[in-house]
Coordinates of all heavy atoms in Angstrom, one line a residue:
M1 N -1.0 9.4 -7.1 CA -0.9 8.9 -5.7 C 0.4 8.2 -5.6 O 0.6 7.3 -6.3 CB -2.1 8.3 -5.4 CG -2.0 7.8 -3.9 SD -3.4 6.8 -3.5 CE -4.8 7.8 -3.5
V2 N 1.1 8.4 -4.5 CA 2.3 7.6 -4.2 C 2.1 6.8 -3.0 O 1.8 7.3 -1.9 CB 3.6 8.5 -4.0 CG1 4.8 7.6 -3.9 CG2 3.7 9.3 -5.3
V3 N 2.4 5.4 -3.1 CA 2.2 4.6 -1.9 C 3.6 4.1 -1.6 O 4.3 3.4 -2.4 CB 1.2 3.5 -2.2 CG1 1.1 2.5 -0.9 CG2 -0.2 3.9 -2.6
T4 N 4.1 4.4 -0.4 CA 5.4 4.1 0.0 C 5.3 2.9 1.0 O 4.6 3.1 2.0 CB 6.2 5.2 0.6 OG1 6.1 6.4 -0.4 CG2 7.6 4.9 0.8
I5 N 6.0 1.9 0.8 CA 6.0 0.7 1.7 C 7.4 0.6 2.3 O 8.4 0.5 1.5 CB 5.7 -0.5 0.9 CG1 4.2 -0.4 0.3 CG2 5.7 -1.8 1.9 CD1 4.2 -0.9 -1.2
C6 N 7.4 0.5 3.6 CA 8.7 0.3 4.3 C 9.3 -1.2 4.0 O 8.5 -2.0 4.1 CB 8.5 0.4 5.8 SG 10.0 0.2 6.6
I7 N 10.5 -1.2 3.4 CA 11.1 -2.4 3.4 C 12.3 -2.6 4.3 O 13.1 -3.4 4.1 CB 11.6 -2.6 1.9 CG1 12.4 -1.4 1.5 CG2 10.4 -2.7 0.9 CD1 13.2 -1.6 0.2
G8 N 12.2 -1.8 5.4 CA 13.2 -2.0 6.4 C 13.2 -3.4 7.1 O 12.0 -4.1 6.8
S9 N 14.2 -3.8 7.7 CA 14.1 -5.2 8.3 C 13.0 -5.6 9.2 O 12.5 -6.7 9.1 CB 15.5 -5.7 8.9 OG 15.8 -4.7 9.9
S10 N 12.6 -4.7 10.1 CA 11.5 -5.1 10.9 C 10.2 -5.3 10.2 O 9.4 -6.2 10.3 CB 11.3 -4.1 12.1 OG 10.2 -4.3 12.7
C11 N 10.0 -4.4 9.3 CA 8.8 -4.5 8.4 C 8.8 -5.6 7.4 O 7.8 -6.3 7.1 CB 8.4 -3.2 7.7 SG 7.9 -1.9 8.8
H12 N 10.0 -5.9 6.9 CA 10.2 -7.1 6.2 C 9.8 -8.4 6.9 O 9.1 -9.3 6.3 CB 11.6 -7.2 5.8 CG 11.9 -8.3 4.8 ND1 11.7 -8.3 3.5 CD2 12.4 -9.6 5.1 CE1 11.9 -9.5 2.9 NE2 12.4 -10.3 3.9
L13 N 10.2 -8.4 8.1 CA 9.7 -9.7 8.9 C 8.2 -9.7 9.1 O 7.8 -10.9 9.2 CB 10.5 -9.7 10.2 CG 12.0 -9.8 10.2 CD1 12.5 -9.7 11.6 CD2 12.3 -11.2 9.7
K14 N 7.6 -8.6 9.1 CA 6.3 -8.7 9.3 C 5.3 -8.8 8.0 O 4.2 -8.8 8.1 CB 5.8 -7.4 10.0 CG 6.3 -7.3 11.4 CD 5.7 -6.0 12.1 CE 6.4 -5.7 13.4 NZ 6.9 -4.4 13.5
G15 N 6.1 -8.9 6.9 CA 5.4 -9.3 5.7 C 5.4 -8.1 4.7 O 4.5 -8.3 3.8
S16 N 6.3 -7.3 4.7 CA 6.1 -6.2 3.6 C 6.2 -6.6 2.3 O 5.6 -6.2 1.3 CB 7.3 -5.1 4.0 OG 8.5 -5.6 3.8
R17 N 6.9 -7.7 2.0 CA 7.1 -8.2 0.7 C 5.8 -8.7 0.1 O 5.3 -8.4 -1.0 CB 8.1 -9.4 0.6 CG 8.7 -9.4 -0.8 CD 9.8 -10.0 -1.1 NE 10.5 -10.9 -0.3 CZ 11.4 -11.7 -0.8 NH1 11.6 -11.8 -2.1 NH2 12.1 -12.6 -0.1
E18 N 5.2 -9.4 1.0 CA 3.8 -9.9 0.7 C 2.8 -8.7 0.3 O 2.0 -8.8 -0.5 CB 3.3 -10.8 2.0 CG 2.2 -11.6 1.6 CD 1.6 -12.5 2.7 OE1 2.5 -12.7 3.6 OE2 0.6 -13.0 2.8
I19 N 2.9 -7.7 1.2 CA 2.1 -6.6 1.1 C 2.3 -5.8 -0.3 O 1.4 -5.5 -1.0 CB 2.2 -5.6 2.3 CG1 1.6 -6.2 3.5 CG2 1.5 -4.2 1.9 CD1 1.7 -5.5 4.7
V20 N 3.6 -5.8 -0.7 CA 4.0 -5.1 -2.0 C 3.3 -5.9 -3.1 O 2.6 -5.5 -3.9 CB 5.5 -5.1 -2.2 CG1 5.8 -4.7 -3.6 CG2 6.1 -4.1 -1.1
H21 N 3.4 -7.3 -2.9 CA 2.9 -8.1 -4.0 C 1.3 -8.0 -4.1 O 0.9 -7.9 -5.1 CB 3.4 -9.7 -3.6 CG 2.9 -10.7 -4.6 ND1 3.6 -10.7 -5.7 CD2 1.8 -11.3 -4.7 CE1 3.0 -11.6 -6.6 NE2 1.8 -12.0 -6.0
T22 N 0.7 -8.0 -2.8 CA -0.8 -7.8 -3.0 C -1.1 -6.5 -3.5 O -2.1 -6.4 -4.4 CB -1.2 -7.9 -1.4 OG1 -0.8 -9.0 -0.9 CG2 -2.8 -7.7 -1.4
L23 N -0.4 -5.5 -3.2 CA -0.7 -4.1 -3.8 C -0.6 -4.1 -5.3 O -1.3 -3.6 -6.1 CB 0.0 -3.1 -3.1 CG -0.4 -2.8 -1.5 CD1 0.6 -1.7 -1.0 CD2 -1.9 -2.2 -1.5
E24 N 0.6 -4.7 -5.8 CA 0.8 -4.7 -7.1 C -0.2 -5.5 -7.9 O -0.6 -5.0 -9.0 CB 2.2 -5.6 -7.5 CG 3.4 -4.7 -7.3 CD 4.6 -5.5 -7.4 OE1 4.6 -6.7 -7.3 OE2 5.7 -4.9 -7.4
T25 N -0.7 -6.5 -7.4 CA -1.9 -7.3 -7.8 C -3.2 -6.5 -8.0 O -3.8 -6.4 -8.9 CB -2.1 -8.6 -7.0 OG1 -0.9 -9.3 -7.0 CG2 -3.0 -9.5 -7.8
L26 N -3.5 -5.9 -6.9 CA -4.7 -5.0 -6.9 C -4.6 -3.8 -7.8 O -5.6 -3.5 -8.4 CB -4.8 -4.5 -5.4 CG -5.4 -5.6 -4.4 CD1 -5.1 -5.1 -2.9 CD2 -6.7 -6.0 -4.6
I27 N -3.5 -3.2 -8.0 CA -3.3 -2.1 -8.8 C -3.5 -2.7 -10.3 O -4.3 -1.9 -11.0 CB -1.9 -1.6 -8.7 CG1 -1.8 -0.7 -7.4 CG2 -1.7 -0.6 -9.9 CD1 -0.5 -0.3 -7.1
K28 N -3.0 -3.8 -10.7 CA -3.3 -4.3 -11.8 C -4.7 -4.7 -12.1 O -5.4 -4.4 -13.1 CB -2.4 -5.5 -12.2 CG -1.0 -5.2 -12.5 CD -0.3 -6.2 -13.3 CE 1.2 -6.1 -13.2 NZ 1.7 -6.9 -12.3
E29 N -5.3 -5.3 -11.1 CA -6.7 -5.8 -11.1 C -7.7 -4.7 -11.4 O -8.6 -4.8 -12.1 CB -7.0 -6.6 -9.9 CG -8.3 -7.1 -9.7 CD -8.4 -7.9 -8.4 OE1 -7.4 -8.4 -7.8 OE2 -9.5 -8.0 -7.8
Y30 N -7.4 -3.6 -10.8 CA -8.2 -2.4 -11.0 C -7.8 -1.3 -11.9 O -8.3 -0.3 -12.2 CB -8.5 -1.6 -9.6 CG -9.4 -2.4 -8.6 CD1 -8.8 -3.3 -7.8 CD2 -10.8 -2.4 -8.7 CE1 -9.7 -4.2 -7.0 CE2 -11.5 -3.2 -7.9 CZ -11.0 -4.0 -7.1 OH -11.7 -4.9 -6.3
K31 N -6.8 -1.8 -12.7 CA -6.2 -1.0 -13.8 C -5.9 0.5 -13.3 O -6.3 1.5 -14.1 CB -7.1 -1.0 -15.0 CG -7.5 -2.5 -15.5 CD -8.1 -2.4 -16.9 CE -8.3 -3.7 -17.4 NZ -8.5 -5.0 -16.5
V32 N -5.3 0.7 -12.3 CA -5.0 2.0 -11.8 C -3.4 2.2 -11.8 O -2.9 3.1 -11.1 CB -5.5 2.3 -10.3 CG1 -7.1 2.4 -10.5 CG2 -5.2 1.2 -9.5
E33 N -2.8 1.5 -12.7 CA -1.4 1.7 -12.9 C -1.0 3.1 -13.2 O 0.2 3.5 -12.7 CB -0.8 0.8 -14.0 CG -0.8 -0.7 -13.7 CD -2.0 -1.3 -14.5 OE1 -3.0 -0.6 -14.6 OE2 -1.8 -2.5 -15.1
D34 N -1.7 3.7 -13.9 CA -1.3 5.2 -14.1 C -1.5 6.1 -13.0 O -1.0 7.2 -13.0 CB -2.2 5.7 -15.3 CG -1.9 4.9 -16.6 OD1 -1.0 4.2 -16.7 OD2 -2.7 5.1 -17.5
Q35 N -2.3 5.7 -12.1 CA -2.6 6.6 -11.0 C -1.9 6.3 -9.7 O -1.8 7.2 -8.8 CB -4.1 6.6 -10.7 CG -5.0 7.1 -12.0 CD -6.3 7.0 -11.8 OE1 -7.0 7.8 -11.0 NE2 -6.9 6.0 -12.4
V36 N -1.4 5.1 -9.5 CA -0.9 4.7 -8.2 C 0.5 4.3 -8.5 O 0.8 3.4 -9.2 CB -1.6 3.5 -7.7 CG1 -1.0 3.3 -6.2 CG2 -3.2 3.9 -7.4
Q37 N 1.4 4.9 -7.8 CA 2.9 4.5 -7.9 C 3.3 3.8 -6.6 O 3.1 4.5 -5.5 CB 3.7 5.8 -8.1 CG 4.8 5.6 -8.7 CD 5.8 7.0 -8.7 OE1 5.1 8.0 -8.7 NE2 7.1 6.7 -8.5
L38 N 3.9 2.7 -6.7 CA 4.4 2.1 -5.5 C 5.9 2.3 -5.3 O 6.6 2.3 -6.3 CB 4.3 0.5 -5.6 CG 2.9 0.0 -5.4 CD1 3.0 -1.6 -5.3 CD2 2.3 0.4 -4.2
T39 N 6.4 2.7 -4.3 CA 7.8 2.9 -4.0 C 8.0 2.3 -2.6 O 7.3 2.0 -1.7 CB 8.0 4.3 -4.2 OG1 9.2 4.6 -3.5 CG2 7.1 5.3 -3.7
G40 N 9.5 2.0 -2.5 CA 9.9 1.4 -1.2 C 10.6 2.5 -0.4 O 11.1 3.4 -1.0
S41 N 10.7 2.2 0.9 CA 11.5 3.1 1.7 C 12.2 2.3 2.8 O 11.6 1.3 3.1 CB 10.6 4.2 2.2 OG 11.1 4.5 3.6
F42 N 13.3 2.7 3.2 CA 13.8 2.1 4.4 C 13.0 2.6 5.6 O 12.2 3.3 5.7 CB 15.2 2.4 4.6 CG 16.1 1.8 3.5 CD1 16.7 2.5 2.4 CD2 16.2 0.4 3.3 CE1 17.2 1.9 1.3 CE2 16.6 -0.3 2.3 CZ 17.3 0.5 1.2
C43 N 13.5 2.0 6.8 CA 12.8 2.1 8.0 C 12.2 3.6 8.3 O 12.9 4.6 8.1 CB 13.7 1.9 9.2 SG 12.8 2.0 10.8
M44 N 11.0 3.7 8.6 CA 10.3 5.0 8.8 C 10.1 5.4 10.1 O 9.5 6.3 10.7 CB 9.0 5.0 8.0 CG 9.0 4.8 6.6 SD 7.5 5.2 5.7 CE 7.4 3.8 4.5
G45 N 10.6 4.5 11.0 CA 10.7 4.7 12.5 C 9.4 4.3 13.2 O 9.2 4.7 14.4
E46 N 8.5 3.5 12.5 CA 7.3 3.2 13.2 C 7.1 1.6 13.1 O 6.0 1.2 12.9 CB 6.2 3.8 12.4 CG 6.2 5.3 12.6 CD 5.0 6.1 12.0 OE1 3.9 5.7 12.5 OE2 5.2 6.9 11.2
C47 N 8.1 1.0 13.2 CA 8.2 -0.5 13.2 C 7.3 -1.3 14.2 O 6.8 -2.4 13.9 CB 9.6 -1.1 13.3 SG 10.9 0.1 13.0
V48 N 7.1 -0.6 15.2 CA 6.3 -1.4 16.3 C 5.0 -1.8 15.9 O 4.5 -2.7 16.5 CB 6.3 -0.5 17.6 CG1 7.5 -0.6 18.5 CG2 6.1 1.0 17.3
K49 N 4.3 -0.9 15.1 CA 2.9 -1.2 14.7 C 2.7 -2.2 13.7 O 1.5 -3.0 13.8 CB 2.3 0.1 14.4 CG 2.4 1.3 15.4 CD 1.6 2.4 15.0 CE 2.4 3.7 15.3 NZ 1.9 4.8 14.3
G50 N 3.4 -2.4 12.8 CA 3.1 -3.2 11.7 C 3.9 -2.7 10.7 O 4.8 -2.0 10.7
V51 N 3.6 -3.2 9.3 CA 4.4 -2.7 8.1 C 4.0 -1.3 8.0 O 2.7 -1.0 7.8 CB 4.2 -3.7 7.0 CG1 4.8 -3.1 5.9 CG2 4.5 -5.2 7.3
C52 N 4.9 -0.5 8.0 CA 4.6 1.1 7.7 C 4.3 1.3 6.2 O 5.2 1.0 5.4 CB 5.7 1.7 8.3 SG 5.4 3.5 8.3
V53 N 3.2 1.9 5.9 CA 2.9 2.2 4.5 C 2.5 3.7 4.6 O 1.6 4.1 5.4 CB 1.8 1.3 4.1 CG1 1.4 1.7 2.6 CG2 2.3 -0.1 3.8
K54 N 2.9 4.4 3.7 CA 2.5 5.8 3.5 C 1.7 6.2 2.2 O 2.2 5.6 1.2 CB 3.7 6.8 3.6 CG 4.1 7.1 5.0 CD 5.0 8.2 5.1 CE 5.4 8.4 6.5 NZ 6.5 9.3 6.7
V55 N 0.7 6.8 2.4 CA 0.0 7.3 1.1 C 0.2 8.8 1.2 O -0.4 9.5 2.0 CB -1.4 6.9 1.1 CG1 -2.3 7.5 -0.1 CG2 -1.7 5.4 1.3
D56 N 0.9 9.3 0.2 CA 1.3 10.8 0.3 C 2.1 10.9 1.5 O 2.9 10.3 2.0 CB 0.3 11.6 -0.1 CG -0.1 11.3 -1.6 OD1 0.7 11.0 -2.5 OD2 -1.3 11.5 -2.0
D57 N 1.4 11.8 2.5 CA 2.0 12.0 3.8 C 1.5 11.3 5.1 O 1.8 11.5 6.0 CB 2.3 13.5 4.1 CG 3.5 14.0 3.3 OD1 4.3 13.2 3.0 OD2 3.5 15.1 2.8
K58 N 0.3 10.5 4.8 CA -0.4 9.9 5.8 C 0.2 8.5 6.0 O 0.4 7.7 5.1 CB -1.8 9.8 5.4 CG -2.8 10.3 6.4 CD -4.1 10.4 5.8 CE -5.2 9.9 6.8 NZ -6.5 9.8 6.2
S59 N 0.5 8.1 7.3 CA 1.0 6.7 7.4 C 0.0 5.7 8.1 O -0.8 6.2 8.8 CB 2.3 6.7 8.2 OG 2.2 7.4 9.4
Y60 N 0.2 4.5 7.7 CA -0.8 3.4 8.1 C 0.1 2.3 8.5 O 1.3 2.1 8.1 CB -1.7 2.9 6.9 CG -2.5 4.0 6.4 CD1 -1.9 4.8 5.4 CD2 -3.8 4.2 6.8 CE1 -2.8 5.9 4.8 CE2 -4.5 5.2 6.3 CZ -4.0 6.1 5.3 OH -4.8 7.1 4.8
S61 N -0.5 1.4 9.4 CA 0.2 0.2 9.7 C -0.6 -0.9 9.2 O -1.7 -1.1 9.6 CB 0.2 0.1 11.3 OG 1.2 1.0 11.8
L62 N 0.1 -1.6 8.3 CA -0.5 -2.8 7.7 C 0.0 -4.1 8.0 O 1.0 -4.2 8.6 CB -0.4 -2.7 6.1 CG -1.1 -1.5 5.4 CD1 -1.0 -1.6 3.9 CD2 -2.4 -1.2 5.9
N63 N -0.9 -5.2 7.8 CA -0.3 -6.5 7.9 C -1.0 -7.2 6.6 O -1.9 -6.6 6.0 CB -0.8 -7.2 9.2 CG -2.2 -7.3 9.3 OD1 -2.9 -7.8 8.6 ND2 -2.7 -6.6 10.4
P64 N -0.5 -8.4 6.2 CA -0.9 -9.0 4.9 C -2.4 -9.2 4.9 O -3.1 -9.2 3.9 CB -0.1 -10.2 4.9 CG 1.2 -9.9 5.6 CD 0.8 -9.0 6.8
D65 N -3.0 -9.2 6.1 CA -4.5 -9.6 6.1 C -5.4 -8.4 5.9 O -6.5 -8.5 5.4 CB -4.9 -10.1 7.5 CG -4.3 -11.5 7.6 OD1 -4.0 -12.2 6.6 OD2 -4.1 -11.8 8.7
N66 N -4.9 -7.1 6.2 CA -5.8 -6.0 5.9 C -5.3 -5.1 4.7 O -5.8 -4.0 4.5 CB -5.8 -5.2 7.3 CG -4.5 -4.5 7.6 OD1 -3.7 -4.6 6.9 ND2 -4.5 -3.9 8.8
T67 N -4.5 -5.6 3.8 CA -3.9 -4.9 2.9 C -5.0 -4.6 1.8 O -5.1 -3.4 1.2 CB -2.8 -5.7 2.2 OG1 -1.8 -5.9 3.2 CG2 -2.2 -4.8 1.0
R68 N -5.9 -5.6 1.5 CA -6.9 -5.4 0.5 C -7.8 -4.4 1.0 O -8.4 -3.4 0.2 CB -7.7 -6.7 0.3 CG -8.7 -6.6 -0.8 CD -9.1 -8.0 -1.2 NE -8.6 -8.6 -2.2 CZ -9.0 -8.5 -3.5 NH1 -10.1 -7.8 -3.8 NH2 -8.3 -9.0 -4.5
E69 N -8.3 -4.3 2.2 CA -9.1 -3.4 2.8 C -8.6 -2.0 2.8 O -9.2 -1.0 2.4 CB -9.4 -3.8 4.3 CG -10.5 -3.1 4.9 CD -10.6 -3.6 6.4 OE1 -10.3 -5.0 6.5 OE2 -10.9 -2.7 7.3
F70 N -7.2 -2.0 3.1 CA -6.5 -0.7 3.0 C -6.5 -0.1 1.5 O -6.9 1.1 1.3 CB -5.1 -0.9 3.5 CG -4.1 0.2 2.9 CD1 -4.0 1.3 3.6 CD2 -3.4 -0.1 1.9 CE1 -3.2 2.3 3.0 CE2 -2.4 0.9 1.4 CZ -2.5 2.1 1.9
F71 N -6.4 -1.0 0.6 CA -6.3 -0.7 -0.8 C -7.7 0.0 -1.2 O -7.7 1.1 -1.8 CB -5.9 -1.8 -1.6 CG -5.8 -1.4 -3.1 CD1 -4.8 -0.8 -3.7 CD2 -6.9 -1.7 -4.0 CE1 -4.7 -0.4 -5.0 CE2 -6.9 -1.4 -5.4 CZ -5.7 -0.8 -5.8
M72 N -8.7 -0.7 -0.7 CA -10.2 -0.3 -1.2 C -10.5 1.1 -0.6 O -10.9 1.9 -1.2 CB -11.2 -1.3 -0.7 CG -10.9 -2.6 -1.3 SD -11.1 -2.5 -3.0 CE -11.0 -4.2 -3.5
Q73 N -10.1 1.2 0.7 CA -10.5 2.3 1.4 C -9.7 3.5 1.2 O -10.1 4.7 1.0 CB -10.7 2.1 2.9 CG -11.9 1.2 3.2 CD -11.8 0.7 4.6 OE1 -11.0 1.2 5.5 NE2 -12.7 -0.1 5.0
E74 N -8.4 3.4 1.1 CA -7.5 4.5 1.3 C -6.9 4.9 -0.1 O -6.4 5.8 -0.3 CB -6.3 4.3 2.2 CG -6.8 3.9 3.7 CD -7.6 4.9 4.3 OE1 -7.6 6.1 3.9 OE2 -8.4 4.7 5.1
V75 N -6.8 3.9 -1.0 CA -6.3 4.1 -2.3 C -7.3 4.2 -3.3 O -7.5 5.3 -4.0 CB -5.2 3.0 -2.6 CG1 -4.7 3.3 -4.1 CG2 -4.3 2.8 -1.6
L76 N -8.1 3.3 -3.6 CA -9.0 3.3 -4.7 C -10.1 4.4 -4.4 O -10.5 5.0 -5.3 CB -9.7 1.9 -4.8 CG -10.1 1.4 -6.1 CD1 -9.0 1.4 -7.2 CD2 -10.7 0.0 -6.1
E77 N -10.6 4.5 -3.3 CA -11.7 5.5 -2.9 C -11.2 6.9 -3.1 O -11.9 7.9 -3.3 CB -12.0 5.3 -1.4 CG -13.0 4.3 -1.2 CD -14.5 4.6 -1.7 OE1 -15.0 5.6 -1.3 OE2 -14.9 3.9 -2.6
C78 N -9.9 7.1 -3.0 CA -9.3 8.5 -3.0 C -8.9 8.8 -4.3 O -8.3 10.1 -4.6 CB -8.1 8.5 -2.0 SG -8.7 8.1 -0.4
L79 N -8.9 8.1 -5.3 CA -8.5 8.3 -6.6 C -9.6 9.1 -7.3 O -10.8 8.8 -7.2 CB -8.2 7.1 -7.6 CG -7.0 6.2 -7.1 CD1 -6.9 5.0 -8.0 CD2 -5.8 7.0 -7.1
P80 N -9.2 10.0 -8.2 CA -10.2 10.8 -9.0 C -10.8 9.9 -9.8 O -10.2 9.0 -10.5 CB -9.4 11.9 -9.7 CG -7.9 11.5 -9.5 CD -7.9 10.4 -8.4
R81 N -12.1 10.0 -10.0 CA -12.9 9.1 -11.0 C -12.8 9.5 -12.3 O -12.8 10.7 -12.6 CB -14.3 8.8 -10.5 CG -14.5 8.3 -9.2 CD -15.7 7.8 -8.7 NE -15.8 7.4 -7.4 CZ -15.5 6.1 -7.0 NH1 -15.1 5.3 -7.8 NH2 -15.6 5.9 -5.8
E82 N -12.7 8.6 -13.3 CA -12.7 9.0 -14.6 C -14.0 9.1 -15.3 O -14.1 9.6 -16.4 CB -11.7 8.0 -15.4 CG -10.2 8.4 -15.2 CD -9.4 7.4 -15.7 OE1 -9.8 6.5 -16.6 OE2 -8.2 7.4 -15.4
D83 N -15.1 8.6 -14.7 CA -16.3 8.7 -15.4 C -17.2 9.8 -15.1 O -16.9 10.5 -14.1 CB -17.2 7.4 -15.3 CG -17.2 7.0 -13.8 OD1 -17.1 7.8 -12.9 OD2 -17.5 5.6 -13.5
Ligands
FES1 S1 11.4 -1.3 9.5 FE1 9.5 -0.4 8.8 S2 9.2 1.3 9.9 FE2 11.1 0.5 10.7

């Protein structure tokens, strides 16, 4: 799964760096480094809503406060289980 985070200037001001950091930490915490790839992107044209994050082709608007919830619901839940 590829998670793309906008690092354009508007999203940067809304905390994209903090979101990247939170996601990196969560990925390590749940040991899904092999399954989740984080990548950055320049402005995706949806700056108005919040920090623009895409999971494959679906986009979300995040802020630092809902990043953990997003990770649980949209990333972790969607990964194929190994057990
Ligand atoms: S700066 Fe992030 S979508 Fe525009």
Side-chain angles (χ1 to χ4, degrees):
M1 175 188 291
V2 181
V3 180
T4 308
I5 299 132
C6 177
I7 50 163
S9 51
S10 168
C11 289
H12 180 79
L13 290 175
K14 292 182 190 133
S16 61
R17 202 159 19 159
E18 201 176 330
I19 291 175
V20 172
H21 184 76
T22 304
L23 290 174
E24 278 174 346
T25 309
L26 287 165
I27 286 170
K28 282 200 197 105
E29 192 177 321
Y30 288 92
K31 302 191 174 33
V32 289
E33 291 99 327
D34 294 348
Q35 296 175 76
V36 183
Q37 194 192 334
L38 283 187
T39 158
S41 148
F42 290 112
C43 182
M44 306 191 221
E46 299 189 49
C47 338
V48 272
K49 300 189 222 147
V51 176
C52 188
V53 174
K54 274 192 179 169
V55 177
D56 296 328
D57 280 327
K58 227 166 138 197
S59 53
Y60 300 88
S61 292
L62 297 193
N63 60 59
D65 294 335
N66 66 11
T67 305
R68 180 171 268 268
E69 195 182 319
F70 158 82
F71 180 81
M72 296 302 180
Q73 287 171 6
E74 308 298 338
V75 180
L76 215 54
E77 277 289 298
C78 303
L79 291 175
R81 301 197 183 270
E82 278 172 18
D83 52 21

